[in-house]
Structures are given as C-alpha cells and as structure tokens.
Amino acid sequence: MTTLALGQFEAEQRPVGAIERADPSFGPVLLRAEGLGKVYPDGTCALAEVALSVRAGERVVILGASGSGKTTLLGCLTGRLTPTSGRVERDGGIAIIHQDLRLVRQRSALSNVLHGTLARCSLARSMLGFARSERQRARELLERVGLGDRMHSPVSRLSGGEQQRVAIARALMQNPRILLADEPVASLDEFNARQIMQLLDELCRERRLALVSVLHDCDLAESFSDRILGLDQGRIVFDSSLTPSQRFDCQACRLIREHAARSGPPESMALDRPAWFKPAVFAGVLLIGLAIYVWAFSGMEIDQRQLRGAGPGLGRFMADLLPMTSAQWERLAAVKWGELVGSLFQTIQMSIIGTTFGVLLAWPLAALAARNVGPRYLQSPMRLVLNTIRTVPSLIWALLFVAAVGPGVLAGVMALTAYSIGYLTKFFYEAFEAVEPGAPDALKELGANGPKRFLHAVWPSARPAVLSSGMFMLEYNVRAASVLGIVGAGGIGYYIALFVDWRNFPAVLVCLIMILIVVVALDALSTYIRGRLVRA
Ligand code: ADP
Ligand code: MG
C-alpha cells in the first residue's frame, strides 16, 4: 500500500514540496531547502531529497510518524545540524520551539523569555538583569501569550500548556521571521492543544512569520495549516498543495497512521544468554572479592602478642579516659579552659575562611574543568591539576604550609583552602555536568556564548548541589581543622596533641566532645539549609 503510494509520487517526477504557491496573501519566500539529505554518523539515513519552501505569513505543517525525520529536518533548517547534502536558504532570523521546550526550569517565566535576547546583550548586562526596554518587551510578550499573571513563577511550577507559552514567548523574543515548532502540542490535552495552535496561528498572522510546525494529529494539521507536507522515512511523500481535494489529505493521514502502526515499538535487543552465564559471573565476582581481602589481610603483620594484649589495653585506656581519681580531676581542673575554648573558636574561624576561599577558587576552576562548560582544550589539563591537588591530605598540606609560612593560623587556613579546592572542584564540576543539556543547548542555538550559557542555564540548576556541597565542606573542614594543630597549623589540635603527650586523656575526651558539639550543630544547620535549597 505504502510502496504503491510512494511509487505514484515517484512516477510524477516532481520534487514534492518544492512547489511555491503563488497565493498573493503570502509574502516573499523566507525559507527554502533543496535536496536536503542527512545521514547520521552511525549510518542512519534520516532525510533524503527533501525540498521545501515557506513564505512570510504561511503556515506549513509537517506530518509524519515517529522516526520519520521531522526533528532532523527542523534541525537542518535552523542550522543546528549540518545536512549531508543539499542546502538551506533563510531570509531573516529563525527561532525554534523544541519538543522538550528546553527551558531553565529553576528560573521565572520572565527570565526565560529574556534569555531570548542573550545573543544581542552583553554578559554583564545579562547579569545585571537585562535592559529596561527588553524587560518591557518580554512582559508584553508574556501578556500576549496569556501569562501576564504568571511572569514571576519559576517555570517548574507552570503547567504544560503554560510552559509551552513561555517557550513560544522566548522564541518570539529573538525577533525571528521564521518560526519552527517541533510537536508543540504533543504533551497537551485536546483543549490546550487547540489553544496553543490557535495562538501560534494568530502570532504567525500578526507578525507575518513563516511558520513550520511538526504535528502528529491530522485534524489539528488540517485546521491550522495552509499546506501539509507528509514525511515518511525521511522523504516528503505528500504535499497538500499538489492536489485540490481534501480527500487526498485524509489518504495521507491514513498512510502515516498505517506506517506508525506498522513500525511499532522497536524489538527488544536483549541478548539470549546461556543459563550458566549469571552464576558464572557471580562466582567470578566472589573469587575476585576474596582475593582482594586475602591480599589486604596479608599486609597486616599483626603479631600474636599485640593482638592478645589489645583487649585489656583498650579497657585500661577507656578507664583512663574518664576522670576517676582525684588526681585526674585535679589535672583536668588545671587545664586553661578559656584558652581551649578560644582555640576551638579559632578552629571554626579557620574552617569558615578556608572553606570560603576554597569555594571562591573552586567555582571558576570547576567551570573550566566541566565537560559541558569549559573550553575543550582546558578540560583535561585542568582535571589533572585538580586530581593532583586532591591526592594531598589536609595534614600534609598543613605541614607544607607550616614549612612555607611558619606555624600558626595562616598555614592552617591555606591548608584548608588547598584541601577544599581539591574536593569542591570535583563536586562542582560533577554538579555542572549533571545539568540536563536541553536548556544550555537551546541557549547555544539562539546565540548565547559559553559564559552566558553557564550563568543562565547551567548555574541555576547546579546551584542547590553546589551550595550544599559547600556546606558539607565546611562541616568536614571543622573536623579536618581540629587536627591541623598537631603539626603547628593553629586551632584546637595543638592542645589535643599536647594532652596526648601528657597522657591527660580526660582532657582529650573533653576536647573531642567539644568538637562533636560543633560538628553536630553544623550538621543540623547544613541539613536545614540544604532542605531550604532543594525546596527553593
Ligand atoms: P522524528 O522527529 O520524526 O521522530 P527524528 O528526526 O528524530 O524523527 O529521527 C529520524 C531518524 O533518525 C530515526 O530513525 C532516528 O532514530 C534517527 N536519529 C535521530 N537522531 C539521531 C542521531 N543523533 N544519531 C543517529 N540517528 C539518529
Ligand atoms: Mg521528533
């Protein structure tokens, strides 16, 4: 059936879709494609010999089953994809509304619409909140698409139809003459779908846009188009402008439906493995695990006497820890507690300053190392440097800085900063890389450079993870800072080392309890703050 229909078109020997309508109600041709072909690197031929032309004010709908090449076609039209053959001519700016919208979900509707101006405004201007005239225009556009009262809501709190309207407004903010919409109503109910199509229709007429929308629904296509092109396996197999009869439209729709039914979901690719495969893998993993433990224990070299003495020794030590005798109480009372509390505060101060410097320095370094942000040539060297920093433990950093700048708080702060950089950069670039690529890609497509994409699309979604790892680092640094004093880098560690030397274990216990209180308090605070961040 399909091949017969295809044969008919081939027999006509006409480049289907290429015919330009001479309808006087349309303006000049704004978008033209000829002989367009696209073969993906894996060999998939997604488009072949596609020709198309769209005039100002004309609404072209592309209908086709899933996988027929519709998104690929739009990608070639915007220039996001490079066609393997053929060419595309555009007269005027082009904007696309993606099927998955690709909005920055954490940001308000207004911010998202303002992103449409990123290609023409400077990074500094965009950081300071965009020009007043642009803000005014964005507000007007949001009013126009019916979102006047939801401008300041984060996109994540808007309904599907409302998000679609934000995406439309962002596209219009780019001042396009050609507007492409990839399945703009696929995820909407029938009522909302009609409303959105109606809106696109009006906008196209008001602004004399060349509108190309991809649709699944034949009824919608018929109501909201001047011309329907049917795509099947990368070829245009139907063009409503070639035939006068509406009956033929329905034939095309049936063709597409049949194809959709025929293609169905792809067959499962699971390999048939023999029955022994799973147990064999299990036994293999078990053997490797056992080998690792045997190897680890072989390095212990614990002699029998030491092992036998360990129990009673530990008992004696635990008894020493608690002040039992009056002599122990006296020694405890003799400790200068004021100084000790002072050194605990110093530990916290060191951690706050060290962590802050760490965060400030880790942020740009991580951006340079992240695969989806930094310049490609810097990513690998950056990672090598950061890995090297990370391999050095905080105590070794402290030793190095004490040697470099002398004992005291400065060495401690420097050690904590270096240590924090090592870990935070890893947390940060992983957070940056975990950001969904849709929104940054969309901003790239509309002309935003790397720093703008980072600031407006990557940072908003990475922010909670970045701030919460900063909090975690602070908590961790209080613990790390409390031992730095052992090597002379300031803080309470100095006293702990001293008490251990004097075998004043009750005092050591008090110090540990003090640190514990600080850590527990910080943990509660950071849990609270992280909770707020996730909700925000
Ligand atoms: P549609 O939008 O009509 O569903 P697409 O244009 O997304 O179709 O895809 C057309 C064909 O190209 C499909 O067979 C799809 O699997 C394939 N395809 C799409 N993108 C890629 C890609 N990046 N690499 C390889 N094949 C792709
Ligand atoms: Mg698609």
Side-chain angles (χ1 to χ4, degrees):
M1 177 82 191
T2 313
T3 41
L4 201 111
L6 267 166
Q8 272 172 4
F9 284 112
E10 273 154 17
E12 281 191 56
Q13 290 293 313
R14 277 205 277 178
V16 183
I19 283 94
E20 286 160 24
R21 297 202 1 181
D23 193 325
S25 63
F26 301 128
V29 173
L30 296 184
L31 179 66
R32 192 200 310 266
E34 275 163 21
L36 217 52
K38 175 73 186 173
V39 180
Y40 281 109
D42 66 356
T44 310
C45 176
L47 281 185
E49 288 297 315
V50 169
L52 168 92
S53 79
V54 193
R55 292 169 167 274
E58 191 179 13
R59 302 158 305 160
V60 170
V61 165
I62 296 172
L63 271 180
S66 174
S68 56
K70 305 178 300 287
T71 300
T72 306
L73 173 58
L74 294 194
C76 291
L77 293 179
T78 61
R80 180 176 60 87
L81 297 176
T82 316
T84 324
S85 61
R87 63 203 179 99
V88 176
E89 287 168 25
R90 290 183 291 262
D91 183 5
I94 189 165
I96 182 165
I97 301 160
H98 290 281
Q99 182 173 1
D100 54 356
L101 303 183
R102 306 193 179 174
L103 298 168
V104 183
R105 297 175 56 77
Q106 297 77 6
R107 287 285 153 98
S108 68
L110 185 63
S111 301
N112 271 279
V113 176
L114 282 164
H115 288 165
T117 70
L118 278 176
R120 50 180 191 264
C121 91
S122 71
L123 178 68
R125 188 69 254 181
S126 77
M127 283 171 81
L128 298 173
F130 299 91
R132 182 188 292 230
S133 57
E134 300 281 27
R135 294 182 71 83
Q136 183 56 31
R137 225 171 76 70
R139 277 197 213 99
E140 282 165 16
L141 275 174
L142 279 165
E143 298 271 2
R144 176 63 193 83
V145 299
L147 280 181
D149 53 342
R150 306 298 312 266
M151 273 182 213
H152 301 288
S153 307
V155 164
S156 58
R157 301 226 183 106
L158 299 178
S159 73
E162 288 168 336
Q163 295 186 8
Q164 191 70 51
R165 287 163 196 270
V166 176
I168 293 173
R170 179 174 76 180
L172 292 176
M173 196 70 191
Q174 298 164 51
N175 296 325
R177 291 187 76 196
I178 308 158
L179 183 61
L180 310 183
D182 195 354
E183 309 208 15
V185 298
S187 55
L188 303 180
D189 57 64
E190 210 179 314
F191 176 76
N192 272 302
R194 282 214 159 253
Q195 290 227 312
I196 291 288
M197 285 315 294
Q198 186 75 44
L199 175 66
L200 281 173
D201 217 69
E202 289 165 13
L203 291 168
C204 165
R205 211 165 311 140
E206 281 165 23
R207 288 153 205 261
R208 302 283 291 162
L209 298 173
L211 177 66
V212 180
S213 9
V214 162
L215 294 178
H216 255 118
D217 186 313
C218 299
D219 294 335
L220 277 181
E222 271 176 35
S223 326
F224 296 102
S225 67
D226 298 305
R227 182 172 176 197
I228 301 176
L229 300 178
L231 205 60
D232 185 36
Q233 300 181 12
R235 288 175 184 275
I236 292 188
V237 295
F238 169 78
D239 182 338
S240 68
S241 67
L242 284 180
T243 60
S245 77
Q246 284 289 305
R247 209 162 41 83
F248 200 74
D249 289 2
C250 299
Q251 191 184 332
C253 290
R254 204 181 62 234
L255 199 122
I256 289 160
R257 262 191 224 115
E258 273 170 14
H259 177 77
R262 204 158 21 87
S263 45
E267 308 239 314
S268 161
M269 295 290 285
L271 293 173
D272 276 337
R273 294 206 172 101
W276 52 263
F277 188 80
K278 263 193 171 175
V281 168
F282 181 73
V285 170
L286 204 70
L287 267 176
I288 292 171
L290 251 154
I292 290 173
Y293 278 107
V294 166
W295 176 73
F297 275 108
S298 73
M300 292 292 99
E301 293 180 354
I302 301 166
D303 84 47
Q304 291 289 315
R305 244 175 324 135
Q306 196 184 359
L307 209 57
R308 250 177 279 131
L314 269 177
R316 259 201 314 282
F317 176 77
M318 296 302 274
D320 274 353
L321 224 45
L322 293 174
M324 303 287 193
T325 64
S326 58
Q328 279 174 326
W329 277 109
E330 269 165 35
R331 286 184 78 191
L332 204 53
V335 171
K336 293 191 180 114
W337 290 108
E339 261 176 43
L340 201 72
V341 171
S343 77
L344 180 67
F345 282 135
Q346 195 180 51
T347 305
I348 300 173
Q349 289 161 333
M350 280 164 56
S351 324
I352 291 174
I353 295 177
T355 311
T356 307
F357 279 131
V359 169
L360 290 178
L361 292 170
W363 201 79
L365 294 177
L368 289 178
R371 300 239 182 264
N372 55 344
V373 181
R376 196 151 298 180
Y377 61 91
L378 266 181
Q379 287 163 6
S380 300
M382 226 30 238
R383 277 172 191 235
L384 188 66
V385 171
L386 297 176
N387 283 338
T388 313
I389 294 178
R390 194 163 50 246
T391 46
V392 181
S394 56
L395 211 57
I396 305 286
W397 280 121
L399 272 172
L400 293 175
F401 283 115
V402 166
V405 302
V409 183
L410 182 64
V413 168
M414 286 172 138
L416 290 176
T417 304
Y419 184 68
S420 305
I421 288 174
Y423 274 93
L424 285 174
T425 42
K426 187 169 165 66
F427 291 147
F428 288 5
Y429 70 63
E430 281 177 356
F432 296 155
E433 285 171 0
V435 171
E436 288 280 321
D441 280 355
L443 296 199
K444 181 178 188 177
E445 213 175 339
L446 61 80
N449 63 15
K452 289 181 194 168
R453 292 203 295 278
F454 176 72
L455 196 74
H456 292 286
V458 176
W459 174 243
S461 40
R463 201 181 62 126
V466 164
L467 294 185
S468 96
S469 49
M471 277 308 294
F472 170 77
M473 201 70 222
L474 176 64
E475 198 187 309
Y476 189 89
N477 275 348
V478 170
R479 270 169 266 197
S482 60
V483 295
L484 294 187
I486 294 174
V487 296
I492 197 170
Y494 169 74
Y495 289 91
I496 297 180
L498 225 58
F499 293 145
V500 171
D501 273 353
W502 295 340
R503 303 192 67 78
N504 188 355
F505 294 116
V508 172
L509 184 66
V510 174
C511 291
L512 292 182
I513 290 173
M514 281 160 60
I515 295 170
L516 182 73
I517 291 171
V518 172
V519 168
V520 167
L522 263 178
D523 183 52
L525 184 71
S526 86
T527 307
Y528 171 75
I529 293 178
R530 276 187 258 179
R532 304 270 319 203
L533 286 175
V534 170
R535 256 179 283 131

